Amino acid sequence: MKSRWLWVVFLVLSVQWWAMPCASLAADSGRLVEKDGQYVFVESIDPATRLLLERALKQGTITQEEYNNVIQESERRAYLTQPSFKAWYDRGFNLSMNDNAFLLKIRGFVQIRFTQRFRNDAWRNPGEAKNFPELLGVFGDYRANRSENDASQFNLRRVRLMFMGHLFSPDLKYLIQLAGETAENAQNPGSVQVLDAAVTSTHVPWLNVMLGQYKTYFNRAQINNSMSMQFAERALVMDAFTASGLNRRDIGLTIMNDEEIYPVNYYFGIFNGLGPGFNRFGSFGSEQPTEGCSGGQSGGTPTGCDTAQRNLNANFRSDVSQLMYVARLMWNVMGRPGYGEGDMVYSETPQLAVGGGYAYNPAINTATDNGFIGTDLANLNVRRQLATYGNGRQLGWGVLDYSTYAFDVVYKYRGFSLQAEWYWKNINRHQKGAPYLGVPGAGTGGYAPALLGNATGWYAESGYFILPRKLQAAVRYAWWDPDTNAAGDLIKQVDAALTYYISGTYDHQVTLQYSNVFIGTGGYALARSAPLPSPPVALNSFGTVPLDAVQRNLIENAIRIQYSIMF
Amino acid sequence: MLVITVVAASDGCARLPYTTTTIHQSQLVHVVLQQEVKPAGYTHPVQLTAGQVASMLRGFSLRSEQRVPLRWFADEQPPQTMLRDDEIARLAPFLVEAFQEAGPEARVHFSLSAPGMNRVDAKTVTSGWMAVRDPYLYITIEYYHTEMPIRSSDRYLPNNPQMPPLPGSFLLFFEPGRFWSIDRSGVRALEYREFLKSASAGRSTP
């Protein structure tokens, strides 16, 4: 199976190589140079010399052949004596060789946000422990996300530095994006990390190849750049239904065709499936010293295995041969609306596109396969990513296979835009039965009373440029059922935003957004709802008290003012 | 609000001039007719020759207008020739055709492109529009040697939408200045028929 994929990669690269066009150089009789912010066309030959030559030709002092030779020599001399590189500003700082074989473009992106938040008392108790729990310590004990009612804070929401350009030819592109930002709920200051590191071949328009770490081409909301959103932030449901379920970025390879040439666009990618900067070598389970016997067993010991002995040693690298597969198809029915949200370009004709994606991400270990399933050790990075993207209800259910579907539609016309997307995630548990939580007693132990279901959600958003290219109003409604087996767990979100685009482009904007988020706290979440697993296994940071002992729904109203600049 | 926007969109009322006819489109020259959104009352169609159009275009020069407060402090730059001879030669025949086909509510929009600093990603554009309401010819320049993205999506930062900059503001000049008048609404315009009758037009006509 794997050798087959290697052949596919080899074949793709071979086609790329064959289709590479030969490099060709062209000399101009003059060139555009930037002077005081204006681009001015400058002839290679000195105007006074040209005038004298033309007069000499007219008077018959020199022949046409001599004139042509002198002009050519002069231009050749000017070409050879000019610097071999050029530097200028245009959507970033650009440095290029004169033959355009190499380009370095440096861009920055800063997003500064002020948040005024009002939460109801339910955020104090029970807090949010099911979709967005916090995971503590080495074992990732669950803690509820709780807070006071009101909050007023500044936040560096996005700080990016991008190095991009092309190498050897304009069709071999590279992108390195560094981020040093802090999420609204982060407990530590953001450190610099690599968001994107990718090389793209565009030699063959119908077979572009992208290799490295980047955003997977799966659902519209995530493919879109964060600078061109209609709102200050994506809706919660958009983040929950990424291809991997863990992060919008991953490491792998994608083949696709050129979006601006073909009316139907395809994307097919193979990834590790564990998010950025990580791979399956870090996916582990715990075993007892006897091979095949899962660790931490305290009951229901498999035949041939020793009885209870706790062993959370994370000693076995499991599922290291698994990969994630992502496919997307998009049809530009009318025009070419692109992925940017809102009709900033003020489309003169209707623009309509429909698309759909499918992602299969197998063997995500949310807890070790043992008797204490639900609480035992699995890779903390994987578990924390699930919790960060709102998939915390899936934690603790052993090894899961995700099959995620996304369908989207977008329409734009004369400043108006409408975009909607529907998601479905089929969750296949490798361990089919109800998890064993240990010996019953004092509200703990026994078997889990309910099983994890699937997940689904959708959103619709619409915007209108009140002043073309300058001022946009937008509204959004999002709905999300994180566990189809649970009741009272729906998440509903309403947003309204007003954005002023200072320079008439996405690159410089101020957004005022109001958000109302309702989060249902119902349903069973492993190791957070009763019955809890029996001690001595770590349960949560509150001992044997379930985190949802108090049943109240969470409501948050927030106003965000955000300034963004990309330079 | 959603209802309001849906109604606004289905109504489809244009708030900016929009293209109705493409006269010519190539990599270098793009000439179209744009429908005005407010009553304009132009005296189109107009019969002109390529030589007449060229002689008029040769007379124009321009200077970018600084915004307040920079306008008060910045040094004024000398006006630059609006279009080079080779650009005028490429553009004039299509402007003639456009003025012949334009109706009273349409304006003639033109765009001249050249390779940009990074020729695979950008082009350098000079564009604007012209219209005739006898006895005046109106001309507005939107971009002058401005770097513009070729594609609507960034080639280097995937799926980052690319937008052209907003149109600039330019002060136009015409030589000989006696034909550069102000119409009844206070807008600068060229008394083109008078100019074409004059000896200066004749001298510059190829």
Side-chain angles (χ1 to χ4, degrees), chain A residues 39 91 346 414 465 469, chain B residues 12 15 117 145 153 162 164:
Chain A
Y39 287 89
R91 292 163 285 146
Y346 191 81
R414 287 181 175 170
F465 272 86
R469 293 195 61 173
Chain B
R15 292 167 294 151
M117 296 292 281
H145 291 171
S153 180
Q162 305 242 70

Side-chain angles (χ1 to χ4, degrees), chain A residues 158-177:
Chain A
R158 288 183 177 87
V159 182
R160 308 277 171 86
L161 189 59
M162 288 160 270
F163 301 91
M164 48 198 163
H166 55 249
L167 301 163
F168 311 119
S169 133
D171 283 317
L172 187 62
K173 302 176 176 65
Y174 65 91
L175 165 66
I176 296 170
Q177 183 171 197

